[in-house]
Amino acid sequence: MDIAGEAARLVTALTGVEVDESLEILKIMADAEVAHVKNFCNVTDVPSGLYEWIIQAVAGKYIRIAKKTLLGNSALSVAKSIQEGDTKVEFGGKTPEELLDELADELTKERDLVCYRKIRW
């Protein structure tokens, strides 16, 4: 299974920014996640039920490290308030960066790993 390619497609689908699936960083992150799952679960092969989780984790970690690329320069500084004369407008809500952080947090949660864990003897 091409975990890096699937993660790139997931990031593209979630953010609308085209991500090249041949990026070396995605391959490195995918290999690291596979190793993490094998070590955590104490198995030699990744259980088939965890591939989707690995893809989400790689996508979330890529989103976290590539925020600047995904947001572009225009979204790096968002005005919180504007004042003109005696009129002041304050913007509430979340910045695009905060939204990406929340998305990355959701994608990288360790949900089902414990279900596949085997006891070490």
Side-chain angles (χ1 to χ4, degrees), residues 53-113:
W53 179 86
I54 292 172
I55 292 166
Q56 290 178 7
V58 170
K61 289 180 179 184
Y62 179 78
I63 287 171
R64 192 171 283 134
I65 66 166
K67 275 191 283 191
K68 193 172 190 177
T69 304
L70 295 172
L71 292 173
N73 290 335
S74 62
L76 290 179
S77 59
V78 178
K80 298 273 185 201
S81 65
I82 299 174
Q83 185 169 357
E84 207 171 297
D86 62 345
T87 305
K88 184 175 182 177
V89 178
E90 291 193 27
F91 299 109
K94 297 181 178 171
T95 65
E97 187 174 358
E98 291 172 331
L99 293 173
L100 277 181
D101 285 337
E102 285 184 7
L103 179 61
D105 289 344
E106 186 61 33
L107 289 172
T108 56
K109 281 185 182 174
E110 287 195 9
R111 296 179 264 277
D112 298 333
L113 288 182

Side-chain angles (χ1 to χ4, degrees), residues 2 15 21 46 72:
D2 181 24
T15 63
E21 60 187 61
V46 175

Side-chain angles (χ1 to χ4, degrees), residues 21-40:
E21 60 187 61
S22 66
L23 284 174
E24 193 64 31
I25 188 71
L26 285 173
K27 294 175 186 174
I28 292 169
M29 293 169 82
D31 290 343
E33 282 304 314
V34 167
H36 170 68
V37 166
K38 287 179 181 179
N39 289 336
F40 184 86

